[in-house]
Amino acid sequence: MTRYDIYGLGNALLDVECEVEPEVLVELGIDKGVMTLLDEASQNKILSHLGDCATKRTCGGSGANTIVAVSQFGGKAFYSCKVANDEPGEYYLKDLLESGVDTNLKLHPPEPGITGKCLVFVTPDADRTMNTFLGISSGLSDIELVPDSIANSTYTYIEGYLVTGENSKQAAIKAREIAVNAGQKVALTLSDQNMAKFFKQGLLDMVGTGVDLLFANESEAFELAGTQDLAEAIKYLKTISKTFAVTLGPKGSLIFDGQTLLEIAPFPVKAIDTVGAGDIYAGGVLYGITNGMDWATAGRLGSLASAKLVTTLGARMATSDLQSLLKEVKSI
């Protein structure tokens, strides 16, 4: 059985990116800066209103972005997800394989349906707003799990967005149980402030008796902890995760390695698009701690990768660019 550094579980979404002014979001009644779930008709209505503003499409979903980054850095990665037997689904599988990621999609043919899409709105302040139609991804369940691969992965990484569906939430819980029973570790990302706001109990169900590593940004941590005080939020996170990383935007990030709270300095840049910044940060940290780096160095790798990413459009970087960061981070 193949050994993996990271086994990921999350939604498979075709990201469609649009650059818009904030006024457009107001006109469309879209909440800025968060992810909102839509039905297909509502998403199509928005697309028709926007016309040809879409600049690019990539295979995404938060978890997929992280797992692809792990693979691009040189890690061994697996991703479980659900796509339909349509053109976007075929495109998605091809993209994963070309990125060096192993996947459950090779093991059984996709079902009829519609592959999920995420409209990503980027405003001039570099903020990202997402409107998502999950499509067939909403049917993700434990059928998509590959237990042998989970049991042979150092970490199983679970996307917090899975909390929005009962079957996907139960799949996440089962994946955690398989990993724990195999003596492996579990990582969870909170994904979005709205997940912590509207699905807090579901996220805690996914955490269970505790996870080994938790990823959150500052607003997500505040929401889950029920406080606006960072020290109190950190105290709370210590009760549900052995280690954690909290990103603070331009202020850098904090990593708790199980004993010490480490301050990871930011790399100042001019951000033009923050889509995927947290995802690639998690990818850098996960790659680092499973490939011989200490927590501080892994944190710097994640921070450096996210800083580079936000200076360009889109949630991905070229493999060669990420590889170059491995050399750069050793000299910092």
Side-chain angles (χ1 to χ4, degrees):
M1 174 56 63
T2 303
R3 287 283 311 174
Y4 298 99
D5 297 318
I6 312 294
Y7 176 107
L9 178 66
N11 289 313
L13 300 170
L14 186 68
D15 288 339
V16 181
E17 190 160 307
C18 304
E19 294 180 71
V20 299
E21 296 295 326
E23 295 76 19
V24 173
L25 300 181
V26 175
E27 289 171 18
L28 294 171
I30 295 172
D31 292 334
K32 185 176 180 293
V34 296
M35 192 282 288
T36 304
L37 289 176
L38 302 175
D39 57 31
E40 184 184 13
S42 299
Q43 191 181 69
N44 287 340
K45 185 177 179 181
I46 292 172
L47 276 170
S48 64
H49 178 89
L50 293 171
D52 58 0
C53 97
T55 55
K56 62 191 296 187
R57 69 173 194 167
T58 55
C59 295
S62 173
N65 292 336
T66 295
I67 295 303
V68 167
V70 169
S71 180
Q72 289 178 307
F73 278 123
K76 188 70 176 171
F78 190 107
Y79 193 59
S80 273
C81 58
K82 191 178 183 75
V83 299
N85 63 348
D86 53 6
E87 187 275 334
E90 293 173 1
Y91 182 76
Y92 201 98
L93 171 58
K94 181 172 177 284
D95 185 64
L96 281 180
L97 297 179
E98 288 180 348
S99 300
V101 176
D102 209 350
T103 175
N104 68 304
L105 299 178
K106 296 195 304 184
L107 304 179
H108 45 77
E111 304 164 21
I114 300 171
T115 296
K117 295 182 186 67
C118 178
L119 304 184
V120 184
F121 302 104
V122 180
T123 41
D125 60 356
D127 198 10
R128 56 89 175 114
T129 299
M130 296 176 290
N131 275 204
T132 302
F133 167 58
L134 290 173
I136 202 168
S137 192
S138 65
L140 187 142
S141 69
D142 57 14
I143 294 172
E144 277 67 54
L145 300 180
V146 184
D148 285 346
S149 296
I150 294 174
N152 283 281
S153 296
T154 305
Y155 274 87
T156 289
Y157 177 76
I158 299 169
E159 182 187 285
Y161 287 125
L162 297 179
V163 75
T164 62
E166 184 59 29
N167 286 341
S168 58
K169 184 183 82 171
Q170 291 303 323
I173 292 171
K174 185 169 182 178
R176 171 175 56 79
E177 292 171 347
I178 293 169
V180 170
N181 290 338
Q184 307 291 16
K185 295 179 179 179
V186 178
L188 172 72
T189 174
L190 296 185
S191 295
D192 188 272
Q193 184 181 355
N194 275 350
M195 299 302 102
K197 182 176 182 179
F198 297 114
F199 299 95
K200 179 176 179 177
Q201 186 53 54
L203 285 173
L204 294 178
D205 291 343
M206 287 160 63
V207 167
T209 56
V211 293
D212 296 283
L213 173 56
L214 186 96
F215 289 94
N217 64 27
E218 193 173 23
S219 62
E220 293 158 4
F222 285 164
E223 196 71 57
L224 193 70
T227 180
Q228 292 297 306
D229 181 89
L230 185 57
E232 287 299 312
I234 287 168
K235 186 185 298 185
Y236 174 78
L237 294 183
K238 288 179 179 179
T239 68
I240 62 173
S241 188
K242 294 175 183 176
T243 63
F244 55 79
V246 179
T247 56
L248 308 173
K251 295 178 290 182
S253 60
L254 297 172
I255 287 183
F256 179 62
D257 66 4
Q259 294 182 315
T260 306
L261 190 66
L262 308 169
E263 293 187 18
I264 308 299
F267 293 87
V269 294
K270 171 63 176 173
I272 65 170
D273 178 9
T274 58
V275 174
D279 302 336
I280 206 167
Y281 175 90
V285 172
L286 287 167
Y287 170 78
I289 61 174
T290 55
N291 285 273
M293 293 182 185
D294 59 35
W295 285 89
T297 305
R300 288 195 293 272
L301 179 62
S303 183
L304 183 60
S306 61
K308 298 287 188 182
L309 180 74
V310 301
T311 62
T312 60
L313 288 174
R316 295 269 190 91
M317 287 173 60
T319 299
S320 58
D321 291 338
L322 282 183
Q323 288 283 316
S324 70
L325 299 186
L326 293 173
K327 298 174 185 176
E328 188 174 340
V329 78
K330 292 175 183 176
S331 64
I332 296 171

